Amino acid sequence: MSTARWGAGFANAARFVVEIEAAAAGSGQLRPGYVLAGDEAFLLERCRNAVLKGFVPPDLRDFCLSDLDLSQNSIFEVLDRAQTPSLMAPFQVIFVRNVRQLYTRGAKKEEFAALDHYFRSPNPQALLIFVADFVRIPPTSGAWRWTTRTALNGSPKPWASTAGWWSWRG
């Protein structure tokens, strides 16, 4: 069944799940980090479950799964955990919430430099999943183009604050 008629979020979530399942089966490449952008709880849960099923054995969950929040932990702590191999589990999965904290006031040059440094030489036994659930993705591609163009043009709309996020994701 094609996900094209369901909207951009469903298609992207399905593509992410397929990529994770292929990597878990050994037939695909796993990237060192992903950004799950969107406020649809069902899709976020679907993606999370695919990662847990593929890379987090139930008996090792306490040792290889971390849920960190950038309002309580710094990005430096997150990256330190990702760089440090686990003694109890062969692979680590780290979910990072409140990504918006990277885009609060201030220059944040050190934080982005640390992210750049990590992703140039990531730990192959770690997977970082950044959850950007503050981003609202419109249901149609036309609305998406309008929202992105308006945000990037400096409109005082509420979603204009996400412009830095989209430019960072490329």
Side-chain angles (χ1 to χ4, degrees):
M1 175 165 81
S2 171
T3 57
R5 69 184 179 107
W6 294 95
F10 282 95
N12 291 334
R15 191 171 62 229
F16 174 80
V17 169
V18 167
E19 185 173 327
I20 292 296
E21 288 172 349
S27 61
Q29 181 183 4
L30 182 68
R31 297 176 185 171
Y34 293 89
V35 177
L36 300 179
D39 60 349
E40 182 62 50
F42 169 75
L43 296 177
L44 291 172
E45 190 64 26
R46 182 175 175 204
C47 294
R48 180 181 171 89
N49 288 339
V51 171
L52 295 179
K53 181 181 174 188
F55 295 101
V56 180
D59 57 330
L60 295 177
R61 186 168 283 202
D62 291 338
F63 303 110
C64 66
L65 177 64
S66 299
D67 283 298
L68 301 176
D69 191 323
L70 288 181
S71 65
Q72 299 170 353
N73 305 93
S74 73
I75 193 66
F76 303 110
E77 294 173 73
V78 171
L79 296 175
D80 184 49
R81 183 169 296 196
Q83 290 170 337
T84 306
S86 174
L87 297 174
M88 303 298 287
F91 195 80
Q92 304 183 73
V93 175
I94 303 169
F95 284 92
V96 183
R97 292 207 169 267
N98 272 326
V99 176
R100 178 174 252 168
Q101 295 296 318
L102 288 174
Y103 298 95
T104 57
R105 293 192 139 170
K108 307 284 185 177
K109 288 181 183 177
E110 296 85 16
E111 287 86 346
F112 286 108
L115 281 165
D116 182 57
H117 178 73
Y118 175 78
F119 283 111
R120 288 184 187 275
S121 178
N123 179 1
Q125 284 84 34
L127 173 62
L128 285 171
I129 306 283
F130 294 93
V131 180
D133 52 2
F134 64 92
V135 177
R136 183 184 177 287
I137 299 177
T140 64
S141 61
W144 174 253
R145 282 191 299 274
W146 182 83
T147 301
T148 305
R149 183 176 56 243
T150 305
L152 293 176
N153 287 336
S155 171
K157 304 290 184 196
W159 53 77
S161 62
T162 62
W165 176 258
W166 299 117
S167 63
W168 180 62
R169 283 187 55 212

